[in-house]
Amino acid sequence: MNLNFFFEVLIGGLLSGVMYALVALGFVLIYKASGVFNFAQGAMVFFAALTCVSLVNHWGFPLWVAILTTIATMAVLGVLIERIVLRPLVNQPEISLFMATIGLSFFIEGMAQLMWGAEVQRLDLGIEDVPMESLLTNFNIIVSKFDVVAACICAILVTCLALFFSRTKIGRALRAVADDHQAALAVGIPLQHIWGIVWAVAGFVAMVAGLLWGSRNGVQFSLTFVALKALPVLILGGFTSVPGAIIGGLIIGSTEKLAEVYLGPFVGGGIEGWFPYVLALLFLLVRPEGLFGEKIIRRI
Amino acid sequence: MLYREAGQFKSSYEADGQIFPLRQDRLGIALLLVLAFVAIPQFASAYYFSAILIPFLIFSLAALGLNILTGYAGQLSLGSAAFMAVGAFSAYNFILRIPGIPLLLAFVLGGLSAALVGIAFGLPSLRIRGFYLAASTLATQFFVVWALTKIQWFTNYSSSGVITAQKMEMFGYEFSSPASKYLLVLAIVSVMALLAKNMVRSNVGRSWMAVRDMDVAAEVIGIRLMRTKLLAFAVSSFYCGVAGALYAFAYLGTVEPEAYSLDLSFRILFMVIIGGLGSILGSFLGAAFIVLLPVFLNVFAHALSLPTSVASNLELMVFGALIIFFLIVEPHGLARLWQIAKEKLRLWPFPH
Amino acid sequence: MKCIKSLLVAASLLAATSFVWADQYVPLLSYRVGPYGSNGASFFGGLIDYMNLTNLNGGINGVKLSWEECETEYNASRGVECYERLKSKNGGASLVEPLSTGIAYGILDRVGTDKIPMTTLGYGRSDAANGKVFPYVFPLLSTYWNQAGAMVVYLGEKSGGMDKLKGKKIVHLYHDSAYGKEPLPVLEAEAAKYGFELIKIPVAPPGNDQQSQWLQIRQANPDYVIMWTFGVMSAVGLKTAQRNGFPREKIIGVWWAGSEEDTEPAGDAAKGYAAMSFTTPGNYPVLDDIRKKIYGQGKGNLKELDRVGNVMYMRGVTSAVLMVEAMRVAQNKYGKGKPLTGEQVRWGFENLNVDVARQKALGVFDMFPPIKTSCDDHEGSGAVKVVQWDGKQWVALSKTWITGDKALVRKLLEESSAKYAAEKGITPGCLK
């Protein structure tokens, strides 16, 4: 067995996993704070990426201005979603909220293409997607520069989020709301404002994920499908844990790639589509709430 | 005023326990059946058969299946299209490899294969609940479609991996015209809907509802969880399997495994949610809504002479907005709206 | 008074019943949203623009074209619904072009009974080229099987001769679905014949991440890679090839992976990538006409003028050109100046002969290969060109139209269509 190749696949998988984790972060934030499984996260990723790239390509904004404008747009979108879609559905069962977010995802997808058109666009963040020469020449291992930069960005994002949650007043309020809605209300935390803020932050995370994925794949409708890859990550890591999302992402990314390369040829290949799900499923049989999820206690 | 049970006395337990205890309801259903079996074939055009009624019936059957699993038994599933695919491909293979097999038997066997697959992939439900179960049913969805694409035996080694459904024949009569296909599908769906209605009123249905409401409590009072949950998966997959077989044989004619994609699973879930979870009528209402809405939007947008790209995106947006609207206005679905209407009918035209 | 009234009523009734549809109606099962919306928008834009141009130039012997679009979202069930709804409107559909294999399969049986010809330019069932089994299906210009054959010929030329293919490694990287598996019979037969090793590597749709596949390719170190992908999978494939250091000059793509939607998002990664095409990129008198007469008057279908001349746009124009030619040929037989029925248009498609002289007259010389159809051969050509992305646009690498091993393809085609005929109980034969 070629060890270099194994490391290539492993490292490539870990870095892919980081990209999945980025998308999963948005889900975690919203689920943690408002108990809603936001299926529209994929559509938000797409919308954010499309807005940013269209501002650059069609309206000629410089990249940093486009990014700032997109952040503002996503914040506004998040607040609007909370107000229009979620507030009326506050006490409904989880499944209704889930369905509402699916409807929301259709709405956002249609709106994005209505506003900016359906063409595939190129997003250039200035990071090249080529192998790192040092690793290539010294160890004959291919690791993409882009992937490494993306992993660093993800690390910075997670650190910022961690600092936000632990050091700032709003962050502490978010954690309180995530813990217990009633208690947070009792202490005087304005629940609806907090939810609006959470959606805005999730929108920001969606934008980062959208920019990175869009730069990697081109900004087009298929970006919405990256959300499907984030689901096994969430299952593995637990729906309510940020470190869980990262670790889940790393595990899913690496096992998916290793399975495709080493197990795939025996069964005809193409197993990447279902392998992460089956893995997550098997994992759930052992630990039903995921690695870092809150233990579900059910009482009669 | 007209719709009330005053004056209708039952003199036997069977009469008391029938599905439609009110005479008005029985009349209504009889009228509906006469309309469906006799009147519509006389007046409807081939377009209505092929593009509206047949898919409506097929999707209602699939929605019935999913409603049994998600609405009655409380197990959220996103893999219904996979079970449809299993039903379609196994029915095709049974007819292919057992010459002279009766058509209905092939459909039943297709449904049974789907039920077996449903039991296999329903095993995780014994340990996992809620969204986690939904995500694991996605594993079913992706795995089944992959398996049908990969294992060439299922598609009879066709070079492009598609199957062409054989002709539907029963006792020498061939179902080739849209009207005859419609009648066949209608007959199958009515029988299965009746079966479903009775099933959910019975012991089995009550145990499902107990598991849905709180499975720990259900186990405490003596309901065998494994048997109940797996039975729900089996029955639901059976219905989806027959629906899938009809989808291939009576609707599309030629299918590839990709036709039973995640998109279809979501559509069926929409039908169930909008129609009403835990309601047989709701499956039909939801299917009608989802089948007819895109057509309406298309015709409407065309009437407004909008450029097609705008129209297509607007359709998507309106579809999403309507789903949200319905969930806000009536979270229990269209079936609940119908129930409220019936309640109001009891008093009408009197105010109280 | 009564007399006048009844006369008026009679006259209006007479007028109503004698109203004959004077237009040639074409329903368009188009898609402009969803993952392939961009491709569909360009294709149908080109088709509609050419139809508008034809109408502006007086129609076909005075018969104008009319059309109606219906959004299918590339979904088989919606495609069937659109087809059933639109097929009998306005006097009946003359033809249908769904631009989707799934939808084509869904309406395959119906077009025969409804007597409406279906064109499937460059996709769909390859064995539909056998008009004796599929009288109403026309995979014009080239099918997937002939394209695969042509790919092998191109790779042979690149290696310095077909005999040099022996011992080479060719990877078939494909969309893991019916579409991606379509060329396998031909590729495997050619591998057996010429002695190259065919390595099959599937990509699970939608193919957003192909790291493992390209690492496997790097490990196998093939001489060439055939990229049989669609949608985002193509751009991701090129970018992943770049990040794994695989030279794009060694990659040859299928024609649905060879348009601007695939190369533009990939940026630098696409430079040097070649693909097959049944249209030659470049400018043509007909495109200039469209720009001047249609977009000049603000009646263009696409929002951006610079998308006129894109690969998918040209395919739409090609489809429309062949359609109008078929109608013209049919009118020559069945009577000029009257709208045609589906059966008559079918005859037109079966007797197409667009040779070089005719192409020059239409202003589309060399835009597509000369095509001559017959009952036996609903494809009519089977010739393709290799085009390459130079970083800014597609340019033709092949100077002439190349074909693959048509005899091998024909043999496979006849076997496959015979199997279909047996399954469906069809007796092969030519329609009058």
Side-chain angles (χ1 to χ4, degrees):
Chain A
M1 192 167 85
N2 190 341
L3 208 60
N4 271 354
F5 181 56
F6 173 76
F7 277 120
E8 259 177 14
V9 178
L10 181 65
I11 296 178
L14 288 172
L15 293 171
S16 283
V18 165
M19 298 286 281
Y20 296 148
L22 263 180
V23 183
L25 269 180
F27 282 103
V28 167
L29 283 174
I30 295 183
Y31 193 82
K32 211 165 133 120
S34 49
V36 175
F37 184 77
N38 176 25
F39 194 79
Q41 193 69 18
M44 282 163 67
V45 167
F46 172 56
F47 180 70
L50 193 57
T51 309
C52 188
V53 83
S54 303
L55 287 174
V56 171
N57 287 348
H58 291 327
W59 288 12
F61 287 16
L63 186 63
W64 65 274
V65 174
I67 291 182
L68 286 174
T69 323
T70 314
I71 295 179
T73 321
M74 294 309 289
V76 167
L77 182 70
V79 171
L80 280 175
I81 292 176
E82 191 279 320
R83 186 168 277 255
I84 300 177
V85 176
L86 292 167
R87 225 176 265 192
L89 289 172
V90 150
N91 273 323
Q92 299 301 333
E94 275 191 340
I95 179 130
S96 298
L97 288 163
F98 173 63
M99 289 302 300
T101 56
I102 299 187
L104 185 63
S105 76
F106 283 144
F107 186 82
I108 296 181
E109 285 161 12
M111 182 172 73
Q113 296 204 294
L114 191 66
M115 281 168 65
W116 302 114
E119 314 108 58
V120 179
Q121 301 196 47
R122 176 161 175 235
L123 177 57
D124 190 2
L125 289 179
I127 316 162
E128 284 176 358
D129 203 356
V130 289
M132 291 179 73
E133 289 91 28
S134 50
L135 282 175
L136 184 59
T137 44
N138 295 345
F139 299 101
N140 196 25
I141 292 183
I142 287 196
V143 175
S144 158
K145 275 189 203 161
F146 182 87
D147 277 345
V148 174
V149 171
C152 296
I153 293 180
C154 185
I156 297 175
L157 182 66
V158 170
T159 324
C160 287
L161 280 175
L163 285 173
F164 175 65
F165 280 129
S166 55
R167 295 292 157 87
T168 66
K169 195 161 147 215
I170 296 182
R172 279 199 293 275
L174 276 168
R175 277 159 60 206
V177 165
D179 225 9
D180 189 336
H181 292 180
Q182 299 277 50
L185 266 176
V187 182
I189 295 177
L191 216 53
Q192 262 115 24
H193 288 179
I194 296 294
W195 282 340
I197 293 176
V198 164
W199 276 85
V201 175
F204 171 70
V205 173
M207 187 199 76
V208 175
L211 287 178
L212 287 174
W213 273 102
S215 174
R216 209 181 193 230
N217 289 3
V219 178
Q220 51 190 297
F221 192 85
S222 316
L223 271 184
T224 53
F225 299 135
V226 296
L228 284 177
K229 270 294 163 69
L231 281 179
V233 172
L234 286 168
I235 296 176
L236 217 61
F239 277 84
T240 50
S241 154
V242 168
I246 306 295
I247 300 196
L250 292 173
I251 297 178
I252 292 282
S254 47
T255 48
E256 176 189 76
K257 298 287 178 280
L258 287 169
E260 178 69 43
V261 171
Y262 289 107
L263 293 178
F266 294 117
V267 286
I271 67 178
E272 262 184 316
W274 54 264
F275 187 81
Y277 281 96
V278 171
L279 183 71
L281 173 60
L282 293 171
F283 189 80
L284 276 180
L285 293 176
V286 171
R287 218 184 133 81
E289 62 276 350
L291 271 174
F292 293 94
E294 287 160 6
K295 197 147 176 60
I296 307 165
I297 304 171
R298 280 152 33 246
R299 301 186 179 84
I300 300 179
Chain B
M1 179 181 80
L2 296 166
Y3 184 75
R4 64 181 196 277
E5 58 267 296
Q8 297 177 32
F9 302 106
K10 309 287 186 290
S11 50
S12 71
Y13 282 120
E14 287 88 22
D16 202 26
Q18 59 189 309
I19 294 179
F20 298 109
L22 271 81
R23 197 186 312 123
Q24 292 89 333
D25 275 334
R26 286 200 295 276
L27 272 175
I29 282 289
L31 218 62
L32 188 66
L33 285 174
V34 163
L35 191 71
F37 275 98
V38 177
I40 289 185
Q42 299 287 344
F43 296 116
S45 69
Y47 162 64
Y48 278 105
F49 285 131
S50 313
I52 305 277
L53 291 168
I54 292 183
F56 158 64
L57 288 170
I58 294 176
F59 285 137
S60 345
L61 191 60
L64 256 178
L66 185 60
N67 219 335
I68 289 176
L69 186 59
T70 302
Y72 286 98
Q75 313 295 312
L76 182 53
S77 159
L78 289 174
S80 10
F83 300 127
M84 286 175 78
V86 173
F89 279 78
S90 34
Y92 167 78
N93 274 299
F94 277 116
I95 297 186
L96 184 70
R97 294 165 204 285
I98 308 178
I101 188 173
L103 181 72
L104 290 179
L105 183 62
F107 285 156
V108 167
L109 287 174
L112 285 175
S113 333
L116 284 173
V117 173
I119 294 178
F121 280 97
L123 285 168
S125 71
L126 301 171
R127 229 4 219 159
I128 313 172
R129 272 167 204 83
F131 284 127
Y132 295 107
L133 182 65
S136 66
T137 52
L138 281 178
T140 320
Q141 171 68 48
F142 293 132
F143 181 79
V144 166
V145 172
W146 174 86
L148 288 173
T149 316
K150 266 307 144 182
I151 303 175
Q152 304 234 318
W153 186 83
F154 287 128
T155 52
N156 198 21
Y157 299 101
S158 131
S159 60
S160 42
V162 298
I163 57 164
T164 323
Q166 298 93 336
K167 295 198 232 240
M168 299 194 286
E169 282 183 306
M170 229 161 64
F171 307 117
Y173 174 73
E174 195 188 315
F175 291 95
S176 53
S177 73
S180 59
K181 284 188 194 170
Y182 161 73
L183 285 172
L184 175 68
V185 174
L186 181 63
I188 295 179
V189 172
S190 336
V191 168
M192 291 186 79
L194 183 64
L195 276 174
K197 182 75 181 167
N198 275 318
M199 224 186 307
V200 299
R201 295 190 318 148
S202 72
N203 216 6
V204 166
R206 283 194 292 273
S207 64
W208 285 339
M209 290 191 265
V211 165
R212 171 190 68 193
D213 289 339
M214 198 180 282
D215 53 357
V216 177
E219 199 171 8
V220 164
I221 65 166
I223 292 176
R224 313 248 278 277
L225 275 190
M226 172 159 115
R227 188 185 275 201
T228 312
K229 286 186 180 178
L230 288 183
L231 189 63
F233 268 97
V235 171
S236 159
S237 312
F238 180 82
Y239 274 72
C240 289
V242 175
L246 287 173
Y247 191 66
F249 280 79
Y251 185 45
L252 284 183
T254 310
V255 280
E256 49 167 349
E258 288 296 311
Y260 296 98
S261 64
L262 185 64
D263 193 52
L264 185 59
S265 284
F266 271 116
R267 278 182 90 186
I268 301 178
L269 185 63
F270 283 143
M271 292 176 200
V272 164
I273 303 274
I274 292 195
L277 281 169
S279 149
I280 301 289
L281 175 65
S283 322
F284 287 94
L285 293 176
F289 184 83
I290 299 286
V291 167
L292 291 177
L293 184 64
V295 180
F296 275 148
L297 288 176
N298 210 310
V299 171
F300 190 62
H302 187 77
L304 290 180
S305 303
L306 293 169
T308 12
S309 51
V310 172
S312 312
N313 284 315
L314 271 178
E315 273 181 46
L316 213 57
M317 286 173 73
V318 171
F319 188 64
L322 271 177
I323 290 180
I324 299 177
F325 176 72
F326 259 103
L327 286 169
I328 294 178
V329 159
E330 184 46 78
H332 294 283
L334 294 169
R336 177 98 189 98
L337 283 177
W338 172 246
Q339 258 189 324
I340 295 176
K342 284 208 291 190
E343 288 296 315
K344 294 257 160 49
L345 261 181
R346 283 168 183 269
L347 286 181
W348 181 82
F350 299 121
H352 56 263
Chain C
M1 189 56 197
K2 239 189 186 171
C3 197
I4 299 175
K5 221 167 136 188
S6 45
L7 268 176
L8 276 173
V9 170
S12 54
L13 272 174
L14 198 63
T17 49
S18 60
F19 177 70
V20 173
W21 289 106
D23 282 354
Q24 195 76 44
Y25 170 63
V26 179
L28 294 176
L29 307 182
S30 68
Y31 46 92
R32 292 172 187 263
V33 291
Y36 313 113
S38 184
N39 302 22
S42 297
F43 181 91
F44 287 103
L47 203 134
I48 292 175
D49 282 342
Y50 188 79
M51 287 205 286
N52 266 324
L53 185 70
T54 311
N55 280 352
L56 212 63
N57 291 340
I60 310 161
N61 297 325
V63 177
K64 297 239 165 123
L65 290 159
S66 69
W67 59 88
E68 195 178 319
E69 272 193 79
C70 176
E71 176 66 41
T72 64
E73 284 179 34
Y74 203 79
N75 178 302
S77 155
R78 286 205 60 174
V80 168
E81 192 273 318
C82 277
Y83 169 77
E84 292 287 342
R85 178 153 40 102
L86 296 181
K87 75 182 179 195
S88 333
K89 278 181 145 188
N90 298 352
S94 355
L95 66 116
V96 70
E97 162 64 79
L99 200 63
S100 151
T101 305
I103 300 177
Y105 277 127
I107 61 180
L108 193 73
D109 297 326
R110 295 162 205 255
V111 292
T113 11
D114 297 330
K115 303 208 191 311
I116 299 175
M118 174 167 77
T119 60
T120 57
L121 256 76
Y123 66 94
R125 289 192 84 112
S126 300
D127 52 5
N130 186 356
K132 291 195 175 124
V133 177
F134 297 91
Y136 276 89
V137 184
F138 292 88
L140 295 173
L141 287 178
S142 185
T143 58
Y144 283 139
W145 283 356
N146 268 322
Q147 186 189 183
M151 272 180 172
V152 173
V153 164
Y154 165 69
L155 292 178
E157 273 171 20
K158 231 167 119 84
S159 313
M162 295 305 284
D163 50 321
K164 298 278 188 308
L165 277 179
K166 194 172 167 68
K168 291 237 188 289
K169 273 194 202 168
I170 302 184
V171 163
H172 178 63
L173 181 76
Y174 64 100
H175 189 280
D176 198 7
S177 68
Y179 160 70
K181 299 199 308 185
E182 181 81 26
L184 284 177
V186 172
L187 289 176
E188 279 163 353
E190 302 257 18
K193 184 169 168 186
Y194 290 108
F196 60 82
E197 188 190 345
L198 184 70
I199 305 173
K200 297 177 277 224
I201 300 186
V203 179
N208 272 317
D209 191 29
Q210 293 174 30
Q211 188 65 11
S212 44
Q213 282 82 3
W214 285 93
L215 280 175
Q216 282 178 297
I217 290 178
R218 193 172 104 86
Q219 194 70 350
N221 200 16
D223 299 279
Y224 304 108
V225 170
I226 295 179
M227 212 167 78
W228 201 281
T229 55
F230 189 41
V232 72
M233 209 183 275
S234 319
V236 173
L238 291 173
K239 285 210 100 171
T240 323
Q242 180 193 41
R243 72 172 36 187
N244 285 304
F246 191 81
R248 264 75 67 216
E249 290 77 10
K250 289 191 183 175
I251 307 178
I252 177 85
V254 68
W255 49 55
W256 298 117
S259 54
E260 285 79 2
E261 285 82 7
D262 306 304
T263 48
E264 271 170 7
D268 294 326
K271 198 151 168 223
Y273 163 63
M276 310 303 282
S277 176
F278 53 82
T279 50
T280 318
N283 201 14
Y284 297 91
V286 72
L287 290 179
D288 285 329
D289 257 352
I290 290 178
R291 286 193 191 103
K292 196 173 63 176
K293 292 186 187 165
I294 309 284
Y295 283 84
Q297 314 301 326
K299 291 204 172 63
N301 192 270
L302 295 178
K303 277 191 299 186
E304 308 83 12
L305 182 57
D306 54 358
R307 273 170 80 182
V308 172
N310 271 4
V311 169
M312 288 302 293
Y313 184 88
M314 292 237 287
R315 288 190 193 154
V317 172
T318 306
S319 175
V321 167
L322 292 174
M323 178 174 94
V324 167
E325 257 315 279
M327 290 175 182
R328 210 180 294 273
V329 164
Q331 276 200 5
N332 284 344
K333 169 162 173 164
Y334 292 103
K336 298 193 187 189
K338 288 185 311 196
L340 302 155
T341 65
E343 282 180 273
Q344 296 168 336
V345 177
R346 188 209 79 85
W347 187 91
F349 274 119
E350 209 168 64
N351 294 278
L352 266 182
N353 185 3
V354 185
D355 55 8
V356 170
R358 184 80 190 124
Q359 283 187 352
K360 285 192 174 144
L362 288 170
V364 292
F365 169 59
D366 210 35
M367 191 155 99
F368 49 89
I371 173 174
K372 186 164 162 37
T373 54
S374 67
C375 167
D376 252 340
D377 183 13
H378 274 190
E379 193 185 356
S381 168
V384 292
K385 275 194 183 170
V386 182
V387 296
Q388 194 178 41
W389 179 257
D390 67 0
K392 291 224 172 5
Q393 57 185 3
W394 288 99
V395 287
L397 266 189
S398 324
K399 296 288 163 267
T400 55
W401 296 98
I402 56 180
T403 52
D405 191 344
K406 286 181 87 170
L408 188 149
V409 170
R410 185 79 205 174
K411 186 164 89 71
L412 287 171
L413 189 151
E414 294 195 338
E415 279 168 16
S416 173
S417 52
K419 196 168 156 203
Y420 178 84
E423 268 186 17
K424 281 284 187 179
I426 305 172
T427 350
C430 287
L431 288 184
K432 282 290 149 275

